[in-house]
Amino acid sequence: MPSATIKIYLPHGDPKRLRTGEISNWSGKAVAGPRTELDQLLKREEAGNVGVYLLTGVDPLSGGPAVYIGEAESIQSRLKQHVDKDFWNHLVYFTSKDENLTKSHIRYLEGRLIELAKLAGRASLTNSQATTSKLPESDRADMEIFLEKIEQLLPALGVEVLVPIAAPPESQEEARLLFCEISGLKASGHLTPNGIVVLAQSQAAQALRPSAKDYPWVINAREQLLKDGVLAPAAGHLVFTKNHEFSSPSAAAAVIHGGTANGRTAWKDASGQTLKQLESV
């Protein structure tokens, strides 16, 4: 993505409360905030405009992140219909400051946002279908630029549902391939801004180590990954069926080892240097 200057305004001075986001030389604008401030979010002038929105929260069944993506000719009116949805606790909506977005434009954006959220795989979609919209070539190009700005602004507002888990590494540290081994089993991965991604086909121990009994979160994490299909039984071990991001190297190593592990020493590069040694350079 091109470099950008982002301006986030905090009306109450609290970054967790209502805030607005803009990017220099972009006609779009974002308004975000917690569900507890829905009334304030809907009273804003921008809420009366055409736009797209994302409701984010926790899936009550899996306990993982969930998102609803929608479009509306009047964001204010449409969002009032979502108060019966229990899962969401945060809202972000995008409108255009020059009021040039049409119904066809926002339907196109909604479809592309749902497509990107599926590809990212970070959150379960509570709505997986979108109303498609065909646009002239020039309008599609304009909307793809608008979409790119949404992708840039969302993480700055604390929403990462469009960020691909397997995004290409953007720094030398992220590009370095790391390995985690136990009892002849081998997992590979690389660092990310959020933690570490364990790559598909990586292996993990099938049996739990005694230390797992003292730290039940390891057991729960492995059970959830098996339930979600991220981990699958293989010949005497477990295998990652797809890339999966963990919040820390230690969390990833614990799942791979089947018990608590120090990720700074468990993960090593191709030459055998531990992550702790690499970070001390």
Side-chain angles (χ1 to χ4, degrees), residues 62-113:
S62 69
V67 61
Y68 180 98
I69 298 172
E71 52 84 13
E73 293 185 81
S74 170
I75 291 175
Q76 183 183 70
S77 299
R78 186 73 178 96
L79 288 177
K80 288 179 180 179
Q81 300 174 26
H82 289 310
V83 293
D84 60 337
K85 288 182 171 63
D86 292 332
F87 83 92
W88 68 276
N89 52 37
H90 188 268
L91 159 69
V92 184
Y93 61 81
F94 293 86
T95 64
S96 175
K97 291 180 286 189
D98 58 17
E99 300 183 356
N100 281 337
L101 288 178
T102 67
K103 182 67 173 177
S104 294
H105 290 150
I106 59 174
R107 283 183 172 178
Y108 178 86
L109 287 172
E110 178 199 39
R112 290 286 286 122
L113 286 168

Side-chain angles (χ1 to χ4, degrees), residues 113 134 164 244:
L113 286 168
K134 292 184 178 180
H244 184 76

Side-chain angles (χ1 to χ4, degrees), residues 7-235:
K7 181 173 72 174
I8 295 178
Y9 174 61
L10 311 176
H12 305 294
D14 187 338
K16 293 184 178 180
R17 297 183 65 187
L18 190 154
R19 53 208 185 277
T20 66
E22 300 176 67
I23 296 179
S24 296
N25 301 316
W26 180 48
S27 63
K29 184 175 184 179
V31 179
R35 182 172 182 151
T36 53
E37 297 189 355
L38 181 60
D39 287 345
Q40 293 185 50
L41 289 163
L42 299 186
K43 285 179 181 178
R44 293 188 62 89
E45 181 180 353
E46 299 93 342
N49 296 339
V50 173
V52 291
Y53 59 90
L54 296 87
L55 307 176
T56 58
V58 177
D59 186 323
L61 297 179
S62 69
V67 61
Y68 180 98
I69 298 172
E71 52 84 13
E73 293 185 81
S74 170
I75 291 175
Q76 183 183 70
S77 299
R78 186 73 178 96
L79 288 177
K80 288 179 180 179
Q81 300 174 26
H82 289 310
V83 293
D84 60 337
K85 288 182 171 63
D86 292 332
F87 83 92
W88 68 276
N89 52 37
H90 188 268
L91 159 69
V92 184
Y93 61 81
F94 293 86
T95 64
S96 175
K97 291 180 286 189
D98 58 17
E99 300 183 356
N100 281 337
L101 288 178
T102 67
K103 182 67 173 177
S104 294
H105 290 150
I106 59 174
R107 283 183 172 178
Y108 178 86
L109 287 172
E110 178 199 39
R112 290 286 286 122
L113 286 168
I114 288 176
E115 179 184 338
L116 291 174
K118 286 181 178 178
L119 289 173
R122 287 188 179 272
S124 59
L125 279 152
T126 62
N127 63 319
S128 57
Q129 299 295 325
T131 304
T132 57
S133 176
K134 292 184 178 180
L135 293 175
E137 183 178 7
S138 59
D139 282 29
R140 287 200 307 272
D142 288 342
M143 288 305 98
E144 285 297 322
I145 294 173
F146 199 95
L147 181 66
E148 183 179 74
K149 301 303 182 183
I150 291 177
E151 289 184 83
Q152 284 186 308
L153 196 48
L154 273 175
L157 294 170
V159 179
E160 298 193 347
V161 295
L162 302 185
V163 180
I165 290 177
E170 296 185 0
S171 69
Q172 184 177 350
E173 289 73 18
E174 293 174 30
R176 181 187 293 115
L177 201 59
L178 300 171
F179 304 95
C180 182
E181 300 184 40
I182 181 172
S183 302
L185 302 175
K186 191 172 187 178
S188 58
H190 64 81
L191 298 176
T192 72
N194 291 328
I196 188 169
V197 164
V198 176
L199 301 177
Q201 302 307 312
S202 290
Q203 298 171 321
Q206 188 171 44
L208 291 167
R209 298 166 70 183
S211 62
K213 297 179 181 179
D214 298 326
Y215 299 90
W217 69 266
V218 178
I219 300 174
N220 295 336
R222 283 165 60 98
E223 288 179 349
Q224 188 62 55
L225 291 173
L226 284 164
K227 181 180 178 181
D228 294 342
V230 176
L231 278 176

